[in-house]
Amino acid sequence: MQTLTVDLGERSYPIHIGSNLLGDSQLIAEHIQGQQVMVVTNETVAPLYLEKCLSMLTGFRTETVILPDGEQYKNLDVLNNIYDALLTHHFDRRCTLIALGGGVVGDMTGFAAASYQRGVNFIQIPTTLLSQVDSSVGGKTGVNHPLGKNMIGAFHQPQCVIADTDTLMTLDDRQLSAGIAEVIKYGFINDLEFIGWLETNMDKLLQRDSSALSYAIKVSCQDKADIVAADEKEAGQRALLNLGHTFGHAIETGMGYGEWLHGEAIASGMVLAAELSEQLGWIDAEVVNRVRTLVASANLPTTAPKEMSAQQFIDLMAVDKKVIDGKLRLVLMDALGSSVIAEGVDQKIIERVLNRSLEAAA
Ligand code: NAD
Ligand code: GLY
C-alpha cells in the first residue's frame, strides 16, 4: 500500500492506494468519530463490494443506501434518498457517510455529507479508475442540473480516501478507458515526464497490469493533491484541473447525461483544447498530433460528437463554472505538458475549431 497526503492543514487527509484494502477495518476505523455509519453505493457496485465494505465496519451501527446507477440519476431528486435514509435512521451530527462506488456515488455522497445537518464527515472508497485518480480527491461534491453539469454542489473534503486497485478488475473496458482520460489529463496539465510514461505504457494500462495501474493512480493523485493543496477552492490554478472540461461538460449536457461517459467527453474536450491552442498559435501541429495519438491509444474519442452543433456548444459553454462576469475562461495548452488559463478567446476561432472537429466526426 502507498499513502499520499492531501495537505490542507488541520483538514489534511490520506489517500491509501493498493491491493486488498477493502475489508481492512484498521484503515477506516480511525476516521470514524461516532457510531453511526451510512454506506452509500449503487445497484451495480452493491452486489460486488458492499459485503466486503460492511466487513470493515463491524462494531459500528451501519445502514446502507443503494442508489440507481447512472449519470442521469446524479440529481437533487435522487440525492433525497440519502437524506431520507439519514433522517429515517436518526443519524446525528457525528455520523459518517461512506461513498462506495464511482464518481457519481462519490459526488452525491460528498454533497449529502456537506449539507446534512450543515456538514458531517465522509469517507471516499472509489471503485472506478476515474474516481480513484480524480473525483475522490479534492473535495468537489455535487449533482447535475438539467441546464448544467455539476452546477449544484459544495467543497467538502473527505476524512480519507481508500483506493483498492483490485476493484478495477470488474470494470468494463469502456469505463477503464474513461478513467484513463483523466490520467492523461495530468500529463497535459503539467507533467511532460508522465506523458512519456503513458506513451510507453498505455497497453499495460489497458491490459490492467497492476503495477502500471498503481503507478498511474499514484502519479495522478500526487499531481492532483499538489494542486488542491495550493488552491483548494479554485481561486486560481485549480482551474487547470478542468482541462477539456468546458467542452466536455457541454458534450455531457448536450448529448444527455450518461450518453457519453464523463471521461470520453473530457478526452474529446482535451483534443479540442489542443486544436484551439494550435489555432491561436500557442502550440504546433506536432504537439496536437501527440495529444490526439495518446488519447486515441486509450480508445477514447478525438472529435466532438457528430450529433451536436457548434452553436449548441457555444450556448452550453456559457453556463460553465469558469465563466466570470459573462466571460468564458478556457484551459488551453502552451506546450506539450503545460496548460494555462485563457480568457477572451475569439468566439469565431472557437466555432472554427468546433466545426472542423464536427466535420471530422461526420
Ligand atoms: P460512475 O460513477 O458512473 O461509474 C461508472 C460505472 O461503473 C457505473 O455504472 C458504476 O456503477 C460502475 N462501477 C463502479 N465501480 C465499479 C467496479 N469496481 N466494477 C464494475 N463496475 C463499477 O462514473 P465515474 O467515471 O466513476 O465518475 C464520473 C463522475 O465523476 C461524473 O459525474 C463526473 O462529473 C464526476 N467527477 C467528479 C470530479 C470531482 O472532482 N468531484 C472529478 C471528475 C469527475
Ligand atoms: N476535477 C476537477 C477538480 O477537482 O478540480
Side-chain angles (χ1 to χ4, degrees), residues 134 137 140 185 224 234 238 241-242 245:
D134 193 350
V137 174
K140 279 191 182 176
K185 179 185 78 174
K224 179 154 186 180
E234 205 169 303
R238 182 164 179 172
L241 291 171
N242 288 320
H245 283 58

Side-chain angles (χ1 to χ4, degrees), residues 130 133-135 137 140 177-192 194-195 198 202 219-220 223-224 227 238-245 249 262-263 266-267 269-270 291 294-295 300 331 333 336-339:
L130 188 141
V133 299
D134 193 350
S135 61
V137 174
K140 279 191 182 176
S177 287
I180 295 175
E182 301 275 22
V183 172
I184 293 174
K185 179 185 78 174
Y186 295 108
F188 293 153
I189 291 174
N190 64 4
D191 199 337
L192 184 58
F194 193 38
I195 294 177
L198 287 165
M202 186 57 73
V219 174
S220 301
D223 284 351
K224 179 154 186 180
I227 291 179
R238 182 164 179 172
L240 293 173
L241 291 171
N242 288 320
L243 173 65
H245 283 58
H249 284 169
H262 177 72
I266 297 321
M270 290 191 294
V291 168
L294 185 57
V295 169
L300 287 161
V331 184
M333 300 178 190
L336 188 68
S338 172
S339 293

Side-chain angles (χ1 to χ4, degrees), residues 42 44-45 48-49 69-71 74 101-105 107 127-131 134-137 139-141 144 149-150 167-172 175 178-179 182 185 224 238 245 249 252 262-263:
N42 75 20
T44 303
V45 177
L48 294 169
Y49 301 114
D69 182 8
E71 185 72 36
K74 186 179 162 184
V104 170
V105 166
D107 282 11
T127 61
T128 61
L129 180 59
L130 188 141
S131 56
D134 193 350
S135 61
S136 63
V137 174
K140 279 191 182 176
T141 72
N144 301 325
K149 170 87 183 156
N150 290 341
T167 61
L168 303 181
M169 299 309 147
T170 52
L171 263 190
D172 69 34
Q175 296 289 353
E182 301 275 22
K185 179 185 78 174
K224 179 154 186 180
R238 182 164 179 172
H245 283 58
H249 284 169
E252 290 188 83
H262 177 72

Side-chain angles (χ1 to χ4, degrees), residues 242-260:
N242 288 320
L243 173 65
H245 283 58
T246 305
F247 294 112
H249 284 169
I251 293 172
E252 290 188 83
T253 311
M255 291 296 291
Y257 297 127
E259 276 304 308
W260 276 44

Side-chain angles (χ1 to χ4, degrees), residues 100-148:
L100 174 71
V104 170
V105 166
D107 282 11
M108 292 179 76
T109 308
F111 188 46
S115 47
Y116 184 65
Q117 299 202 16
R118 301 200 180 87
V120 298
N121 286 350
F122 87 113
I123 290 169
Q124 289 271 19
I125 306 187
T127 61
T128 61
L129 180 59
L130 188 141
S131 56
Q132 294 189 356
V133 299
D134 193 350
S135 61
S136 63
V137 174
K140 279 191 182 176
T141 72
V143 293
N144 301 325
H145 185 278
L147 298 178

